[in-house]
Each structure stands twice: as C-alpha cells, then as structure tokens.
Amino acid sequence: MTELLNIGLSGLNSSRIALSVTGQNVTNVNNEGYTRQSAELVTRNPEFTGGFYLGTGVEVETVRRITSEFLIAGARSDTSVFAGAETFSTLMDQLDQLFSDANSGLAGNLSSFFSSLQTAVDDPASIEARQVFLSSAEGLAQKFNSLHTQLQGLQRDINLQVDAVAGQVSAYTREIAGLNQQIGIATNTGSNPNDLLDKRDQALRDLAELVSINVIPTDNNGVTVSIGNGQPLVVGSESFELITIANPNNPAVRDLAIRSSAGSISPVGSGISGGMLGGLIGIKEGVINNALNNLGRVALGVSGAMNEAHNLGMDLEGNLGGDLFTDINNATSVSNRTIANGNNSVPQDQVVSVLISDVNQLSTSDYRLDFTAANTYVLTRISDGLSNTALDPSLTGVLGALPATVTVDGLTLNLDRPSGAFSAGDRFLIQPTRAFADEINTQVSRAQELALASPVRTITGSNNTGTASISSGQVTDTGSASFTTAPGQLSPPVLIRFTSSTSYEVLDNSNPSSPTVLLAAQPYPPVSPNGILPASYGYQVDISGTPATGDSFNINYNSGGVLDNRSGLAMVAIQSTDTLGGGKMTLESAYGVFTQEVGTRTSTARNNLEASKALLEQSQSMLQSVAGVNLDEEAARLVEFEQAYNASAQVINVARTIFDTLLSAVRG
Amino acid sequence: MRVSTHQAFLTGLQGLLDGQSNVTRLQEQIATGKRVDTPGDDPIAAPQIIALNRQIELIDQYNKNADTAINRLQLEESTLGSIENTLQRVRELTVQAGDGALDLLSRKAISTELQQRVEELLGLVNTRGVDNEYLFSGYQADTPPFARNASGGFNYQGDEGQLFLPIATDLNVAVNDSGKALFVDIPIPNNFTLQAAPGNGGTGVAQNPVVTNQAAYDAFSPDTAVITFTSATTYSVTRASDGVPINGGSPPQPLTNIAYTPGGDITFEGMHLQVSGTPVAGDIFTTVNAVPQKLDMLAIVEQLAQGLDDSSASSVQRDGLISDALLSLDNVMASITQTTAHIGSRLNSIENVQQSNEEIKLISQNTLSKVQDLDYTEAISLLTQSSFVLQAAQQSYVAISNLSLFNFIR
C-alpha cells in the first residue's frame, strides 16, 4: 500500500506543480517579456522488488522555459533596426517640414526678394518700391539666420538626447551585469532561473532599442554584450558606461565613448549603429551638418552675387553702391571657417585663413588639412574622401616657403606661421560654408542708398556728322582710380574724339575748353563689341557704326541719374543666372535641389520605417508563436492537469480503502 | 502556426491603427486638395512642382513689368502726339507768314502766337510722369530737360539714358526716350556767308546772303563762288573750284562782266546776295559755306518767331527764313515720327511677349495641377474603401476577442 500511496502522492504533487505552472502562464498572458513555462514530467526511479522493477510514480524534473534563442536574437536586432528607423524618420519629417513649408521655408523669401527687386527696378526713382525691396532683403537675411538657429537648436536637442540615451544605456548595462551575477549564482544551484532569464532578455531588448548590440552567451548562463565593433558593454558581472566626450578636432562636437569601471575611456568612433542612438547620430552627423552647409552655400551665393552687382552701382544720392549684404570674406567669417586641433604644436600661432574666391565652385563639404611634415600636407574633402591630386591636380601636397597659398573648390587657403613652418601632426578642420547663414545681414537700410543706377553715362557730341553711336557705359571696377580719387566724380571725365573714321584719341575733359590728350592715335576696331578704353579705367564703352572726323563722345559721372536701373537690371539677372554648383544651378534651384534631397531622404526614411516595422512585427510574431502564451492551450492544460489531479487523488483514496480493508481483515 | 493570445490581440490592434491612419491621411488630402504636401510625400514630383511654381511666379512678374512698360510708353506716345499737334499749328502759322501780302502788324501777330506755341512746347517737353519724374531727361529725371538760357536759346539739361524693363528672360525693352534723341540735334538747312578778300582796295561790301532755292544750293555746295570785279562797274562770278563762269540772274546767262548796280540783287545757283558801296577793279568777294548746323526744336520755333518780328529784314530774307523754317520743322517732325514708330513697335513686341507668356503660364498651371492636385474621384473612392476596411477590422476584432476556451469551461 505504501507504494500505491506514494505513487498517488507523487501524481498529486506533479499535477499540483503542473497546475501552478499553467496558472503562472495564464496570469502572465499579457506580459510581453514572458516566455511560457512548462513542467517537465519524468517517471521516478523504479524500485527493484521481488525480481522486477516497479515504477514509483511521476515527478517534475524541471520547469522548462519554452523559447528559441535564435528567434529572441532576431527580434532583438529587428528592434534595433526599427527603433533607429523610427527615430531617423521622425526627425527627417521635422526637417522636411522645416525646409519645404511655404511659411517657414526659404523658398518664399527668395521668391519675394526677387519679385520686389523687379518692382524697384521697374521704377528706380520710387522710394516706396526701394523700401519694400530692402525690407524683403532684410527678411531674407533673417530667414537664413533663423533657419540656421533652428538647425543648431535641433542639433543641441539631439546632443541632449544622446546624453540622456547614453545614460539610459549605462543604466541598462548595470542592470544586465547585475542580472548576470544573480543568474550565475542561481544556475550554480542546478536549475535555470527562468524569471531572471526573462528579466535579462527584457533588459537586453530595451538596450537593443537604444543601440544595436551583439549578445554572446557565456558559461553559467551568462552573456557578454558588445556594440558594433566589438567594444564591450557588459562582461560577466562587470558593466561599462556610455558617456560623451569632446571631439579633439572640433571641441564643439561631442562624441560617444565607453568608460570602464577602472576609469579608462575609449572613443566609440563609428561603432554605433541602430537603435535610437544610431538614428540620432545619423541625423546629427549625416543630415544636419549637411543642411547647415547647404544653407550656408545659398547664403554665400546670395551675398556674393548681389554684392558684386551692387558694388558696381550708384545710389540715389550719387554715391557708389558698396555692399548690399555682409561681405563673404569679412574677418569674422574667415576666422570662423578654420578650427585648429587642440593638440597642434606650440606655439599655436598657425594661420590657415580660408577666403572664398569663387562662390560658383563651392562644394557643401567640410575639409581636413593635415600636415605630415613641415612642408607636406594632405588636404581631404570629407564628403567623398578625395585628397590632394585626386581632389584637384594643383594640390601637390608640397608647400613652398610661407606665406603660401592653396586653392581648391573656389576656396583660397592662405597659410602662414609667424614662428616658422608648420609641424608634422598639425591638423585643421575647415568648414567653408557652415556658418554663413548665421552671419548674413543686410548692410543697406535707407532706400536712397540702394544702388540701382550705374555711375557712368555717355553723351553723343551735338555736332557729330557720322553714323556712330555709343553704348550707355558699363562699369567693371569701382575700385579703380577713376572712381576712388574723388567721390561723386569721374577722375577724369573723358572725351573720345575721332581724328578720322578709323582712329580716335582719348582726352581728359576736366576742363572742357581745353581737353588734354591721354591716349593718342587709337585704332578704331571695325567690329563691335570693341574695347574702346583701357581696362585700368574701371569702365568700358562700345562704339559702333561709322564715325566722321571730328565726331566726339563724352563719358561723365552719372550725377542726378535717378531714372537709371542698369545696375538693378544686373541684379535682376542674377535670379536666372547659374551662380552655384559649378555653373549648373541658380540660387533658387540650388535651394530647391537641397530641399528635394531632404524630401527624398525623408521618403526613403519613411519606406525604411515601414519595412523595418513589418520585419519587426514578423519576428515578434514568430517569437511569440514559440514563447507566447495561448489561453486556449492553457485552458486545455488546466482541464488535463485537473483531471490528472483528481485521478491521483482517487488513487490515494483506493490506497486508503485497501489499507482499511487490510486493517479490518486483521482485526477480525 | 501557433499563435499566442497576446500576438493575436496585437495583430488585431495593429490592423485597427493602420486602418485609422490610412483614413486620416486620405481625409487630410481631401481637405487640402493636394496630393503632395511636402517633398517627402513624393520626391519625384516635388522638384517638378517647385520648378513649375517658380516659372509661374516669374511669368507673373514679367507681366507686371510689361504692364508698367505699356503705361510708360503710352504716356510718352500721347505726349508726343500733343507735341505733334502743336507743331502742326506752328507749320500752319509759318505757311501763313509766307504770304507776301501780309503787313507788319499781321506778321507781329503771327510772331506773338508763335512765341506762345514755344511756351506750350516747352511745357510739353518738360512733362512729368506718374512719380513726378521728367519724361524726357534720360537718367536725370529730377532735372527738367529744357531750360531757357539767359543769353538766348535753350539748354538741354538731361542725358541720353534710357530705362529698360525686363519683360522676359534676356529680353529688356526701353520704356522711354531721351529729349536729346527726340528734340535736340535737329539738322537745319545749310546756309552760306560772304567774305571780302583782304586785299580789296574799294569800299565795296557784300551782304544779305540768303538761300532762295535750297535744292540748288545743296547741289552747288561744297563748291563756293568767287565774285570778281573786272572793273569798277562790272563783275564776274566764277566757281572757286575751276574758275568756270556760273550762270545766274534772270533770264539766266553766264555771269561774266555783268553791269554792277550798288545794292542790286545778284542771284545764282539758288543763292542771293547784294553788293553795295564802291569796289575797284580786282576786288574779290567769296561765298563761304557754313558748317552744317543743328538746333533744338524750341530754338527753331523761337528763332522763326524772332525773325518774323524783325522789321528790318528784306522780303527776300523773310522768304529765306520761312523756307528754312519749313524745312527745319519737317526735320523735327521726322525725328518725332521715327521715335513714335519705335514706340509702336516696342508696344507691339511687348504685347506679343505678354501673349506668349500667358500661354506658357497656362501650360505650366495645367501641368502643376496634374502633378500636385488631388484626383478627387480617386481619393474619395479610396476613402470609402479604407473606411470599409477599418470597419471590417473593428468588427473582426470584437468577434475574435470573444473566442476563448475559458468561456466554455464553467
């Protein structure tokens, strides 16, 4: 009977345990991190009695965790990809909105800038039209400034988020290390600590949402966690922290690094990918910097082209135009373009001054200038990695004596060092277009100071008998002596007199009653356009037709020329001129190309998000199909084990009955 | 495949969320009427949309410029029309004044009216435009183009500049003409003067040179005539170039050894002069062709008025003055007509450009609408379909959530 009793008891026990396990599964049905458990029943060791083996019942060997490590790893890596795609896509949507929105984008400002310019050019004497244009110009400059500020603000926010996420990563690594220890201890007692394992898997999954990780199982149910390039985050019960440090090349930039418990810091470099961190860094380094550079290049285009035309013009008060926008090579801008590495050789008096000599040739990339020896350098364009002769045949990599000049992509680098030559290891980061959208401002505020006219005009001699006519005059350089010697005057006013129909002389007409000869016996070129005056004068005229002997033409300063829009017409023409991208894009289309790039990346990001979401759903569903709890299944199990329990109880009942029968038989 | 309960609910939930998001997106498109809101919605259509919008804006701007140009040109045209009318009146008066039967008083009356017409013309050339700028001063629109010179005549104070407006890419049209091109530098008929040779012994004086036949004189010059007194009472007229005697007088005869009458008319080759006083044999007088002259329109009319006022002029001189004035007026009218023709052709080309701009704009707008705008039929049918799908997802969620074995184990 005792065997029967024990057998029955064992059945009762096992069923009870199985029921508990089922109950555990049922109550955890909605716990996402829970893997279903199942009680493993095995027969107890048989007894050898009387020549045969008699079974001794059933027992629970272990409570098994039903899951698949392969599917867990798959779901984890898909989580990283999805979290990264989601973060990236959300931020790209923000940027897409910022740049293309009719109200907040730049395109509207550019358009109204040019259309108000056309209105002022239509009526150059009108003060109101000039004022409207100047307001529009100021609005444009302010829009550049505000877009730049918004982008920088976004960058700052992302940096803060990176800091926060790095802190969270550190918290998770600590948790995982702790769980590793606990699981190790528990495993030593002989069985799998199922709930601790679930907890660790959940922590790993949360960590994977933040950054892509590699998880390698070690002995004693431990795991080693590392990021992309093998740098460890968790080794056994030791955890590493993720922190941010200043970038040595550019102190304004913060990089990620791993700090061990001993305190040693190693930069992560490009090892971060996936997860929120991957998305944030992708935006910060790949998209926002590019956006700032693009914006800066358009601002440089506006300022450069407009200033060039405005400088050749004359305003309502008879003064030369000067700059309309901030000069692209002003001292502050130039000094902002170069960032010297903090570890450069002392004394740190190296001068790398970056001037923009041709806006049309500018790229949107940053550059690196590294010195490998005193007069050998490597100049690299960061966007495509080309350097020295691969970048431009003129970059030999060898410098002559200082001061020296290097030119590339529309930039002129003036290199000098008062204390001698450069040293090997000197490094410089060059950001030619990064900051200008913040630096651009209007320089003209009074309507009368807008230079729409040209400072020279021509007069045909009253007594001319030939058929020659003269163009209205074109200014090429207001820095020449003709204009600078005495403001408001042409120095000197010029008379062109034909000594025959094929030759002329150029005279100084300061005293009209006695002009003095400046250039005698100039041949009159028969085909127009002809360079009548020397280039040094700073202005040029065209004469066409057949002059007679004695025909004369005057060239004077255009005092009182208020209904003159020649310089304004040149500024209007900028709208349809290809001023950027190596002569391939107008200002507006350069901005358009950039917003379209943003749009394409946004659309790609959205597609990636959809795809990664679908993959994640699929891997999650596959994992759940193995490890998830199915209530119907557990309900069936409940019925099964309850019946088994009842049956075992009945066995005990029978054992008791036979015992009673035996007792009553013995008692007599 | 085994499905966990949690997963089953998740799938159902996801279906609901996706359905809702589809419906919302379609709703937004229908409300804005736009299929493409930001470049991210359709990166392929986005640059097309940007380019088309830019083209339409540019064309609108060019048309605005063209309207401004038309206004300015029409104002100039009408001002020139008024000037032409005044000049017509001046011409009538000039012809009237040529009537030999007029007496001094009548001529003075004509002269007075001519002076008034000069003032009228001065006012017209100094016309101001919409912004109070002078129309005919070239660039210097704050300075009146014509002003009286203290010592007589008029000064042109402007320059030769023209204002150009862009009406299409690389097409600028001039919207004004300077007073210099229109009214200054008008050629007036050629004249001659007389010169006595320095070695003349007598007291003869040659005077009153008048061109009586401009065509004949223009044909004769640049040659000059030499009047040689062969004796104290006879003279001959020869060509300076080859010494050949010239025919003259009436009836025409070779002017060789003609009897000299002091103060008498000597006429030949459309020229008329008088010699008075007592010349001696060998005295020589020559004609000198004046340098071709140019005057401005106002000076021409004023000089005519002053000439008519001069009571000391002979009738021959008056006739010369009138015929010169008529020829000069013709030159003025020709200059104005030439510019009016230019204005006409400019207006014509502006109209053509405007028309072609409008056509391009229409095409661009159509294309833009096709690319950017929502096809309402398609969108509404999609919305209906998506709503149906959402409804089905909702109903199936409820149906499936009721299925559980626990419902039957009681």
Side-chain angles (χ1 to χ4, degrees), chain A residues 188-470:
Chain A
N188 281 336
T189 63
S191 185
N192 284 338
N194 289 334
D195 303 297
L196 286 178
L197 287 171
D198 278 351
K199 234 172 148 181
R200 189 178 63 188
D201 276 340
Q202 186 60 36
L204 283 169
R205 179 82 168 260
D206 291 337
L207 180 58
E209 232 180 85
L210 300 180
V211 66
S212 247
I213 48 176
N214 292 328
V215 176
I216 302 168
T218 57
D219 51 355
N220 250 7
N221 265 338
V223 291
T224 299
V225 181
S226 60
I227 53 171
N229 53 9
Q231 282 174 291
L233 286 177
V234 177
V235 177
S237 53
E238 189 192 345
S239 73
F240 295 73
E241 274 178 82
L242 192 62
I243 56 170
T244 58
I245 55 172
N247 181 308
N249 283 328
N250 186 355
V253 172
R254 303 210 44 93
D255 287 343
L256 288 167
I258 294 186
R259 182 164 62 197
S260 74
S261 45
S264 67
I265 296 178
S266 44
V268 166
S270 54
I272 294 277
S273 71
M276 272 180 78
L277 271 184
L280 288 172
I281 290 177
I283 290 271
K284 185 167 73 114
E285 286 173 11
V287 179
I288 294 191
N289 284 340
N290 191 29
L292 283 168
N293 282 356
N294 258 297
L295 201 60
R297 185 171 72 162
V298 178
L300 282 166
V302 169
S303 190
M306 284 290 152
N307 278 355
E308 205 180 307
H310 198 257
N311 264 301
L312 296 178
M314 185 187 80
D315 68 21
L316 271 186
E317 295 170 341
N319 298 321
L320 293 174
D323 283 335
L324 179 60
F325 288 102
T326 310
D327 174 27
I328 59 179
N329 286 322
N330 69 82
T332 314
S333 296
V334 170
S335 73
N336 283 342
R337 285 178 195 146
T338 313
I339 301 174
N341 192 309
N343 299 326
N344 280 356
S345 59
V346 286
Q348 294 194 340
D349 59 346
Q350 300 95 332
V351 171
V352 175
S353 118
V354 179
L355 293 156
I356 295 181
S357 44
D358 187 356
V359 175
N360 213 336
Q361 302 299 323
L362 286 176
S363 73
T364 54
S365 170
D366 295 341
Y367 297 81
R368 227 181 22 242
L369 178 64
D370 301 325
F371 279 86
T372 49
N375 58 357
T376 357
Y377 64 86
V378 177
L379 181 61
T380 313
R381 184 165 62 197
I382 295 181
S383 61
D384 51 16
L386 294 177
S387 59
N388 283 7
T389 46
L391 175 56
D392 187 304
S394 71
L395 299 175
T396 54
V398 178
L399 271 188
L402 295 178
T405 301
V406 174
T407 56
V408 66
D409 287 350
L411 302 170
T412 301
L413 279 68
N414 291 329
L415 305 167
D416 196 7
R417 189 178 194 182
S419 63
F422 285 86
S423 311
D426 282 348
R427 309 172 63 135
F428 303 90
L429 177 64
I430 295 170
Q431 299 177 326
T433 63
R434 178 72 59 96
F436 198 73
D438 192 34
E439 295 158 354
I440 187 173
N441 267 322
T442 47
Q443 303 292 108
V444 173
S445 52
R446 286 178 64 228
Q448 290 84 344
E449 287 172 15
L450 179 63
L452 295 176
S454 181
V456 296
R457 62 162 174 252
T458 56
I459 313 253
T460 311
S462 287
N463 296 320
N464 287 1
T465 51
T467 61
S469 61
I470 189 170

Side-chain angles (χ1 to χ4, degrees), chain B residues 47-58:
Chain B
Q48 247 189 320
I49 291 175
I50 293 175
L52 287 168
N53 272 331
R54 242 210 315 281
Q55 191 170 40
I56 292 174
E57 272 166 23
L58 201 57

Side-chain angles (χ1 to χ4, degrees), chain A residues 622-645:
Chain A
M622 280 186 10
L623 176 59
Q624 283 281 304
S625 81
V626 171
V629 171
N630 185 316
L631 280 181
D632 289 348
E633 188 184 6
E634 301 306 316
R637 289 261 165 78
L638 275 180
V639 170
E640 185 187 340
F641 291 127
E642 192 186 340
Q643 276 196 336
Y645 187 86

